[in-house]
Amino acid sequence: MSWAAHSVPVAHGVASEAPPAHAGAQALLRACERGLGRLVDGAAGLLVLADIGVLLAGVIARFVLHQPLVWSDELASMLFIWLAMLGAVIALRRGEHMRMTALLSRAAPHRRPLFEALALCAALAFLAMVIGPAWEYASEEQYITTPALEVSNLWRAAALPTGIALMMVFAALRLLRESPWRAAASAVAVVGVVVGAFWLGGSLFEDLGRWNLLIFFVGVGAGCVFAGIPIAFAFGLATFGYLALGTTTALPVIVGRMDEGMSHLILLAVPLFVFLGLLIEMTGMAKAMVGFLAGLLGHVRGGLSYVLIGAMYLVSGISGSKAADMAAVAPALFPEMKERGAKEGELVALLAATGAQTETVPPSLVLITIGSVTGVSIAALFTGGLLPALVLGLVLCAVVWRRYRHEDLSGVKKTPWTEVARLGAIALPALALPFVIRAAVVEGVATATEVSTLGIAYAVLAGLLVYRQFDWRRIGPMLVATASLSGAILLIIGTATAMAWGLTQSGFSGALAQAMGSLPGGAPMFMAVSVVIFVILGSVLEGIPAVVLFGPLLFPIARALGIHEVHYAMVVVLSMGLGLFAPPLGVGYYAACAIGRVHPDEGIRPMLGYALALLVGTIVVAALPWLSIGFL
């Protein structure tokens, strides 16, 4: 699942409150951060372009010239790990790492700077502890030669210590520049005391056995998540503490597991689909689709709500990023819907519900992650995701019909069919893109990773030749935004992979598998329990880290119980989507509120009806496997 950061802003006015003696220091810090930030931004943007170019060249060489480039995947993978780490650096500098802020947002305003400083200090503590093992890991990789390029693997592995060092620099700069000195000093003291206490009491953990799992993965991990510490660093602190204090494992192992989790070539689709989502908004493709649907259905009761549901379905099939989807659709529809008397809370509730509804529409980043960590065919997941999302869309339409059946449309004019046809012709290139993407994967033209490059090329040509809307000045910021969101996602995958490895080595994975596999009632009971588990996980961890942690554990059990992997994947993703977008904990709901500029309290009550509809739809999908596997 792809999400931009949900951070609570630091109190403004810090610089203005600084004494004159510190004004020069503040200016120097800002200049250093700005200069170094531009270098990192430029490098990350070029890496996004380079990966697009390498993969597109590989597709053309293999499919058109029939001369495969044997080194393309290896070079793309090498560039990708650098992109992931530099993207994580940008996300830290911009405060865009994913985090849970439901509790933090309820804190008194004067206490929020302290919690923000604590989040930075906790991240800094993890980075300081892991940079030594990261350098050791990279040093060992220098003796390995890559098979195709025949260069030292140090060129790739060096991305990890480099990225960690840069994150340390930016974390320290942000702490000095943004946090009031008292908050910063208090945060440093608190984190220092906690880390020191754990370290000095290290001998106590040697004899605790399985209790260490509760202490580190529940106490430290969950505690950090609820305290507002970015999820990637919360997972990292829990895993590092467990391995360092509760086991005899060599610490470079945690870096190796992070590398393994972040380096899977399938995940290269993440930044490319994120960039594609930004492209369709910039080129006017999303606006064209929304305009056509509004002309087609705008004159019926609840018509624009149906348009919102349909537009999210179509846009999700292109961008793969829910934040990008909602940002593309909401501004085009909300003003007109408000003019027709729709309440803001109702609008944002439906927007959040459609975000959950379309989680399985390809190319969903969560589906790509599932394929990466479980080995399920990406093409099968892409095919199986269309009908389940359509079922949930129909259930939402039923709720819309009930709520708007008495809407007054006396002042609404029906769009003439000639105008609808014109809008349809304009939208046709945009409407065709999801089918182009799916056909390229199914027909073997490109892999699930490479097909995003074809979508990008298609969107560029459509923007330049068809819609004549292509702002070259926005390309740079879009590339940096792509790197930032991708880095935030991939760092979570890396630390979650390390945590999953630690859980496996501890024996917890086997115990969980045995407990889930021995549930009374067989497959139906396992499916019901899975729905409950992933609704809860989706509301706390978001989709991607939850999948990385529990996907490798539960998918084999589902297979053993006779549940098709694609069917189980659809139920898991829809359940997590429900948790992600349901208040009060679901961060997706708060993202929808931010995009719609609506206070979260206004949408909670209308969201209850939509959440119940989503749950009913999820149960229908779980009960009818054909909806997920009928077209495989």
Side-chain angles (χ1 to χ4, degrees):
M1 190 201 81
S2 52
W3 281 106
H6 306 293
S7 58
V8 178
V10 178
H12 296 291
V14 173
S16 61
E17 295 174 2
H22 297 292
Q26 289 286 338
L28 180 61
L29 289 174
R30 283 195 296 270
C32 291
E33 184 179 27
R34 191 182 305 114
L36 186 57
R38 286 176 178 172
L39 291 176
V40 176
D41 289 353
L46 290 175
L47 284 169
V48 175
L49 285 178
D51 263 327
I52 294 171
V54 170
L55 289 178
L56 186 59
V59 174
I60 294 172
R62 185 182 66 252
F63 190 76
V64 178
L65 304 178
H66 305 291
Q67 294 181 347
L69 302 177
V70 295
W71 48 264
S72 61
D73 282 354
E74 192 172 285
L75 178 58
S77 178
M78 185 177 294
L79 296 173
F80 179 53
I81 189 65
W82 279 96
L83 168 60
M85 293 306 298
L86 293 185
V89 174
I90 296 171
L92 182 63
R93 178 171 65 87
R94 293 163 53 153
E96 293 180 352
H97 273 286
M98 298 179 188
R99 54 194 298 210
M100 178 183 171
T101 59
L103 299 180
L104 184 57
S105 61
R106 290 172 171 78
H110 69 278
R111 294 192 179 276
R112 290 180 187 174
L114 174 60
F115 286 110
E116 291 290 340
L118 280 171
L120 282 172
C121 286
L124 192 55
F126 168 70
L127 295 168
M129 289 187 288
V130 83
I131 190 169
W135 177 250
E136 186 178 345
Y137 171 77
S139 299
E140 293 172 354
E141 291 291 302
Q142 68 180 311
Y143 303 108
I144 300 174
T145 302
T146 61
L149 296 174
E150 297 184 348
V151 298
S152 171
N153 206 44
L154 177 63
W155 288 100
R156 191 190 67 81
L160 291 152
T162 302
I164 290 170
L166 286 171
M167 280 190 277
M168 289 179 64
V169 171
F170 282 113
L173 287 173
R174 279 192 62 197
L175 186 66
L176 292 171
R177 188 173 63 84
E178 296 182 358
S179 300
W181 71 268
R182 288 183 179 176
S186 299
V188 170
V190 169
V191 172
V193 167
V194 172
V195 172
F198 270 94
W199 197 258
L200 292 174
S203 59
L204 300 176
F205 299 105
E206 296 176 359
D207 302 322
L208 293 180
R210 293 285 181 87
W211 286 102
N212 284 325
L213 297 176
L214 191 63
I215 293 171
F216 289 102
F217 293 120
V218 177
V220 175
C224 288
V225 169
F226 280 100
I229 294 168
I231 293 174
F233 300 107
F235 282 6
L237 285 167
T239 306
F240 188 92
Y242 173 73
L243 293 179
L245 302 177
T247 72
T248 57
T249 304
L251 293 181
V253 168
I254 186 175
V255 183
R257 299 288 74 78
M258 289 173 59
D259 185 5
E260 178 186 346
M262 298 168 68
S263 297
H264 204 300
L265 194 60
I266 291 175
L267 295 175
L268 184 52
V270 171
L272 303 189
F273 276 123
V274 170
F275 184 63
L276 177 58
L278 296 174
L279 267 181
I280 67 158
E281 185 275 327
M282 187 263 280
T283 56
M285 297 175 73
K287 185 178 180 180
M289 285 188 289
V290 172
F292 167 62
L293 292 174
L296 192 64
L297 297 172
H299 61 282
V300 303
R301 288 187 174 89
L304 293 182
S305 295
Y306 298 131
V307 170
L308 178 58
I309 295 171
M312 282 292 289
Y313 187 95
L314 291 172
V315 173
S316 292
I318 300 174
S319 74
S321 168
K322 290 298 160 289
D325 301 341
M326 294 190 294
V329 172
L333 287 176
F334 275 19
E336 178 65 23
M337 296 174 79
K338 289 177 182 177
E339 286 185 13
R340 295 190 183 190
K343 297 180 179 178
E344 289 186 337
E346 178 71 26
L347 296 181
V348 79
L350 181 58
L351 181 64
T354 56
Q357 166 222 341
T358 54
E359 282 285 82
T360 64
V361 177
S364 163
L365 301 187
V366 180
L367 291 183
I368 294 170
T369 305
I370 286 178
S372 169
V373 301
T374 66
V376 182
S377 165
I378 299 289
L381 291 170
F382 280 9
T383 302
L386 294 170
L387 267 184
L390 182 60
V391 169
L392 263 66
L394 293 175
V395 175
L396 291 178
C397 286
V399 178
V400 168
W401 173 83
R402 178 174 176 79
R403 292 187 174 181
Y404 287 91
R405 64 188 185 278
H406 301 303
E407 183 183 14
D408 181 14
L409 296 178
S410 57
V412 178
K413 294 183 180 180
K414 181 179 179 180
T415 305
W417 283 110
T418 54
E419 178 65 12
V420 172
R422 187 186 71 84
L423 292 172
I426 294 173
L428 186 59
L431 294 171
L433 181 52
F435 301 98
V436 171
I437 288 175
R438 181 179 177 275
V441 174
V442 174
E443 299 299 325
V445 176
T447 66
T449 302
E450 296 169 334
V451 73
S452 53
T453 63
L454 298 181
I456 290 171
Y458 183 100
V460 170
L461 291 176
L464 290 173
L465 304 178
V466 178
Y467 297 104
R468 305 292 179 89
Q469 184 176 326
F470 201 93
D471 188 351
W472 291 100
R473 294 170 298 181
R474 291 181 59 186
I475 295 297
M478 285 166 55
L479 290 170
V480 176
T482 296
S484 177
L485 178 55
S486 303
I489 292 172
L490 293 166
L491 189 61
I492 286 179
I493 293 177
T495 54
T497 300
M499 179 181 281
W501 183 86
L503 288 170
T504 301
Q505 298 302 308
S506 70
F508 171 80
S509 301
L512 176 65
Q514 183 178 0
M516 291 289 288
S518 60
L519 287 171
M525 178 59 72
F526 174 78
M527 189 70 86
V529 172
S530 295
V531 169
V532 174
I533 288 175
F534 280 101
V535 167
I536 296 172
L537 289 174
S539 66
V540 176
L541 294 180
E542 304 187 39
I544 289 175
V547 164
V548 177
L549 279 177
F550 293 96
L553 306 181
L554 298 182
F555 272 76
I557 304 173
R559 192 187 310 117
L561 291 173
I563 301 173
H564 197 287
E565 290 174 317
V566 173
H567 177 215
Y568 188 63
M570 296 306 123
V571 175
V572 164
V573 173
L574 292 177
S575 301
M576 287 191 301
L578 176 57
L580 177 64
F581 284 90
L585 294 181
V587 294
Y589 171 74
Y590 296 103
C593 293
I595 290 169
R597 292 184 172 87
V598 177
H599 194 280
D601 292 347
E602 297 186 28
I604 289 180
R605 187 167 183 175
M607 185 63 194
L608 295 178
Y610 290 123
L612 180 60
L614 292 171
L615 178 60
V616 170
T618 301
I619 293 172
V620 170
V621 172
L624 300 175
W626 182 87
L627 294 171
S628 302
I629 62 177
F631 292 97
L632 298 184

